[in-house]
């Protein structure tokens, strides 16, 4: 089973994304920001870091750079509503996928499926 670490500071968005990914058959661990994600990355194994870019304490780009150094096989996907930071994310972590808000849950699930060659367990796609 694909394991996803989801770092999103907006509580309702975090719950919404986690629920959709879990319904699609993924195991999801949720945290409220980058600083909360670091201990999970340091002590556990995840296939994907799904992170908002703009967050308090530690932004998603810093988190992704940390993840890339600690767990280089972990894939990274940014979610953001800010076009300006999309360019910065692409430069800082060029192998990462960027999904711009607003997006449909189907788009998120399809991107994860593409990354791992999996098929959703629900009709979201």
């Amino acid at each position: 089973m694909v394991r996803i670490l989801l770092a999103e500071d907006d509580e309702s968005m975090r719950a919404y994304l986690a629920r959709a990914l879990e319904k699609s058959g993924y195991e999801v661990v949720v945290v409220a920001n980058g600083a909360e994600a670091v201990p999970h990355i340091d002590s556990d194994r995840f296939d994907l870091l799904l992170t908002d870019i703009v967050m308090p304490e530690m932004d998603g780009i810093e988190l992704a750079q940390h993840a890339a150094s600690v767990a280089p096989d972990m894939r990274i996907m940014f979610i953001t509503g800010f076009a300006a930071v999309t360019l910065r994310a692409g430069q800082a972590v060029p192998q990462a996928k960027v999904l711009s808000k607003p997006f449909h849950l189907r788009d998120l699930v399809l991107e994860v499926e593409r990354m791992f060659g999996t098929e959703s367990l629900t009709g979201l796609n």
Side-chain angles (χ1 to χ4, degrees), residues 3-120:
R3 297 190 75 225
I4 300 171
L5 178 58
L6 170 61
E8 166 64 62
D9 61 321
D10 181 284
E11 186 176 347
S12 59
M13 177 65 85
R14 187 170 59 242
Y16 183 64
L17 296 174
R19 190 169 35 254
L21 291 164
E22 288 167 347
K23 280 184 160 185
S24 296
Y26 300 105
E27 181 182 340
V28 182
V29 173
V30 296
V31 295
N33 58 52
E36 285 184 22
V38 169
H40 291 278
I41 291 169
D42 291 347
S43 66
D44 209 345
R45 187 198 66 76
F46 293 93
D47 302 294
L48 173 65
L49 170 62
L50 177 61
T51 181
D52 192 2
I53 295 177
V54 179
M55 295 185 292
E57 295 184 52
M58 176 185 230
D59 71 25
I61 294 171
E62 293 171 301
L63 177 61
Q65 290 171 328
H66 175 78
S69 70
V70 172
D73 293 336
M74 185 186 320
R75 296 181 189 180
I76 298 167
M77 185 186 304
F78 293 115
I79 49 177
T80 186
F82 298 94
V85 297
T86 299
L87 178 61
R88 187 174 144 238
Q91 293 169 339
V93 190
Q95 74 279 15
K97 172 72 182 156
V98 179
L99 195 59
S100 295
K101 295 175 187 175
F103 55 83
H104 192 283
L105 286 178
R106 171 182 62 237
D107 298 328
L108 172 64
V109 171
L110 284 172
E111 287 301 329
V112 174
E113 288 173 359
R114 281 187 198 115
M115 289 179 123
F116 295 101
T118 58
E119 288 189 21
S120 170

